Amino acid sequence: MNECYYDKRMDFFYNKTNTDTVDEWTGPKLIVVLCFGTFFCLFIFISNSLVIAAVVKNKRFHFPFYYLLANLAAADFFAGIAYVFLMFNTGPVSKTLTVNRWFLRQGLLDTSLTASLVNLLVIAVERHMSIMRMKIHSNLTKKRVTFLIVSIWAIAIFMGAVPTLGWNCLCDITACSSLAPIYSRSYLVFWSVLNLVVFFIVVVVYIRIYMYVQRKTNVLSSHTSGSISRRRTPVKLMKTVMTVLGAFVVCWTPGLVVLLLDGLNCTYCGIQNVKRWFLLLALLNSVMNPIIYSYKDDEMWATMKKMICCSSEDKSQDRRSSRIPSTVLCRSTDTSGHYIEDGIIQGTICGKEDLGDKGNS
């Protein structure tokens, strides 16, 4: 019968697996790391809070897609919390941690990754439901969106707690991994392969949707005289999602591949030399997302800028800002969703109204 080591500190497991905890992370080097980490985490907290507040404040964003986008920002905010906890519980401090505290440290990171990934998967399903039915926005009610958001976090918390619930190597030291000294190698293989497969599925779905939207928009645009920016609204919306997804895949795939190699017990792959760089790359993903939202969506940037400046605009400025092209079409009285054809035709009408307003002024 195998002996279990629940009462041991992490130095016991690090020594057993010959894991490097970087004892030279002291003095000036540690201060630099903490300063950069603090700056990035503060940016994550502030920027993602602005994204969530913008979705709540601006009624143009009161659609299922943007609610899910706000939830993705919440996942990035949670990732910032996980990185702060990691920042003060890593390096030489790792060896002094208890097993439960180390499980908490890694569980927070796993939960943040799962929340972001499952959220992107749900957005892919929502986009597929709406676009393939010739709609810009889906018919999902607020109750259903709320249920989806709660489900996303329930799945994320469960996946983050799996090792704590028993899939670990506390009773089988020979099965311990190198990067995660109390995680079983079999769990690392399962975790990394599962996420990579979901990555692939989501990418395929988004590519299919994007190609369909672009093809359909090109066909319809030849039969309408609306402004180019309004006719390309569905494409702009998908470009935002594709950019977010691309950044997520680029930032997280290297780390997952390293975990997979560790799970396969690749002793000559040099994973200890690159693990910190790939963790930093994953951190940058939570920094990049708010920048992508504001850069790709003029309305999002205008709302965030207004909140930052804390200045009240007069009615003429409000009317002028409402004409800024956004990834959201002119709202129709039909709350069930906008059809692409109707949206393009609406673009023509809105354009004429804008010209009429200018003529009257």
Side-chain angles (χ1 to χ4, degrees), residues 127 129-139 334 336-341:
R127 289 292 81 202
M129 288 171 55
S130 58
I131 298 299
M132 293 303 171
R133 293 177 182 178
M134 300 295 295
K135 296 181 180 180
I136 301 300
H137 296 289
S138 65
N139 295 332
D334 181 10
S336 63
H338 303 282
Y339 288 89
I340 293 181
E341 295 97 328

Side-chain angles (χ1 to χ4, degrees), residues 26-75:
T26 55
K29 189 173 184 179
L30 180 61
I31 294 175
V32 172
V33 171
L34 291 176
C35 288
F36 274 99
T38 302
F39 171 77
F40 282 130
C41 288
L42 285 175
F43 181 83
I44 289 172
F45 292 144
I46 295 172
S47 58
N48 285 287
S49 296
L50 284 173
V51 172
I52 297 172
V55 173
V56 173
K57 181 179 180 180
N58 194 330
K59 292 183 178 180
R60 293 172 181 243
F61 298 146
H62 290 183
F63 293 101
F65 170 79
Y66 283 102
Y67 291 141
L68 294 173
L69 199 68
N71 192 51
L72 187 60

Side-chain angles (χ1 to χ4, degrees), residues 164-185:
T164 310
L165 297 175
W167 200 344
N168 54 60
C169 62
L170 293 177
C171 297
D172 186 8
I173 297 297
T174 59
C176 290
S177 64
S178 175
L179 294 179
I182 56 177
Y183 277 12
S184 298
R185 287 194 297 270

